[in-house]
Amino acid sequence: MRYLLLLILFVLPSTSAFASKIAIIIDDIGYRQSDKAVLTLPANITLSILPHTPLGKTLASQAYQQGNEILVHLPMQALNGKAIGQGGLTNTMSESEFKTQVSKAIASVPHASGANNHMGSLLTQLKQPMRWVMEALQQQDIYFIDSRTTKFTQAGAVAQSVGIPLLNREIFLDNDKSWAGLERQFQQAIKLAKSKKQIVVIAHPYPETIAFLTNNLSRLDDEKIQLVHASELLPQPTAATVASKFQLLQDRN
């Protein structure tokens, strides 16, 4: 009876005054001293940190201690040929090189529970390299967020085929860093969150973005939208899935 009660509690939806949820990810963190300003944002902001960067480990540890969720921001080859930095993944690498590179990237970002792609408009279109990425993530129990830097991305489909928990970016907040541009995207995020019930927004550690969020995040509460860590948007297991896993544990014992 005790196990049945636990199962019911696990799968029942929680009641909340909020009608929708939004995860805001600040990525491209790790190189600039100004990136430290992300620590002034609320703890329910998710931070994605570039691997092997001068400030990466320190910021990841400090942010984790204050309650932020940490992602590793995996650099991937872009169509424009732009340099992707240390730890970058390209289409010339072998399977073993890919998986070693991903493992080293994760190790360089303490407390990372998920990953998303940095650039990658070329690499995310290629199924085989993305399968290697997902298999490496799976080995370390890391979920994946497709930043969707190209409409032709295969990353999400490959993640699902491998069995990696997956989210997709819906909105980039700060392609236009002007206050008007940020406001326009913020309003779009509110509208989309209300219609889809949960969305992922990606932004960057620009001073303009941090100032805008500092002044405007309170509007989410007014709109009955809850700001949550990205992992809180991952699909929840059904009662059947939980029961199956519980039976498997019982059989093993």
Side-chain angles (χ1 to χ4, degrees), residues 76 117 120-126 130 149-150 152-155:
M76 297 186 188
N117 55 292
S121 54
L122 187 154
L123 198 72
T124 58
Q125 296 188 46
L126 307 178
M130 293 315 300
T149 55
T150 170
F152 302 111
T153 178
Q154 299 294 315

Side-chain angles (χ1 to χ4, degrees), residues 8-244:
I8 292 171
L9 290 174
F10 185 81
V11 299
L12 278 177
S14 59
T15 58
S16 171
F18 297 98
S20 303
K21 294 181 179 181
I22 186 171
I24 298 178
I25 299 167
I26 308 294
D27 63 22
D28 286 4
I29 297 169
Y31 280 108
R32 300 163 296 270
Q33 288 295 320
S34 59
D35 292 352
K36 294 177 180 179
V38 298
L39 297 175
T40 66
L41 293 171
N44 43 0
I45 291 283
T46 300
L47 303 180
S48 188
I49 296 176
L50 288 159
H52 314 297
T53 50
L55 301 175
K57 284 190 175 182
T58 299
L59 287 178
S61 295
Q62 290 176 340
Y64 180 78
Q65 290 300 318
Q66 72 178 26
N68 297 97
E69 182 172 20
I70 307 301
L71 309 179
V72 57
H73 197 32
L74 295 174
M76 297 186 188
Q77 187 176 6
L79 286 166
N80 61 13
K82 186 177 179 180
I84 51 180
Q86 191 174 353
L89 301 168
T90 72
N91 64 352
T92 62
M93 295 172 125
S94 67
E95 178 178 359
S96 61
E97 287 174 323
F98 250 90
K99 293 183 175 179
T100 297
Q101 194 83 297
V102 173
S103 296
K104 287 181 177 179
I106 295 168
S108 78
V109 179
H111 312 293
S113 57
N116 72 316
N117 55 292
H118 172 57
M119 300 196 290
S121 54
L122 187 154
L123 198 72
T124 58
Q125 296 188 46
L126 307 178
K127 290 184 178 180
Q128 187 61 72
M130 293 315 300
R131 177 167 293 276
W132 295 338
V133 171
M134 300 310 163
E135 288 172 350
L137 294 179
Q138 187 178 51
Q139 289 179 353
Q140 302 204 43
D141 197 26
I142 298 287
Y143 72 90
F144 185 72
I145 298 173
D146 188 352
S147 301
R148 297 190 64 82
T149 55
T150 170
K151 65 181 180 180
F152 302 111
T153 178
Q154 299 294 315
V158 174
Q160 288 182 312
S161 71
V162 172
I164 296 289
L166 171 71
L167 295 169
N168 291 294
R169 184 274 310 163
E170 276 88 11
I171 288 179
F172 281 120
L173 184 67
D174 51 7
N175 285 341
D176 177 353
K177 293 183 287 183
S178 71
W179 200 270
L182 289 162
E183 174 63 24
R184 181 169 56 252
Q185 291 300 92
F186 195 70
Q187 288 185 17
Q188 180 62 21
I190 288 172
K191 180 179 179 181
L192 198 59
K194 287 183 175 181
S195 65
K196 298 188 73 170
K197 302 306 179 187
Q198 63 173 52
I199 66 165
V200 173
V201 172
I202 289 180
H204 303 89
Y206 306 134
E208 298 90 339
T209 301
I210 292 172
F212 182 88
L213 290 174
T214 299
N215 283 279
N216 288 280
L217 284 175
S218 61
R219 291 163 57 188
L220 297 177
D221 284 347
D222 298 337
E223 299 287 350
K224 305 301 181 186
I225 299 171
Q226 184 180 13
L227 178 63
V228 299
H229 290 154
S231 62
E232 294 183 49
L233 302 186
L234 291 170
Q236 296 299 310
T238 64
T241 301
V242 175
S244 175

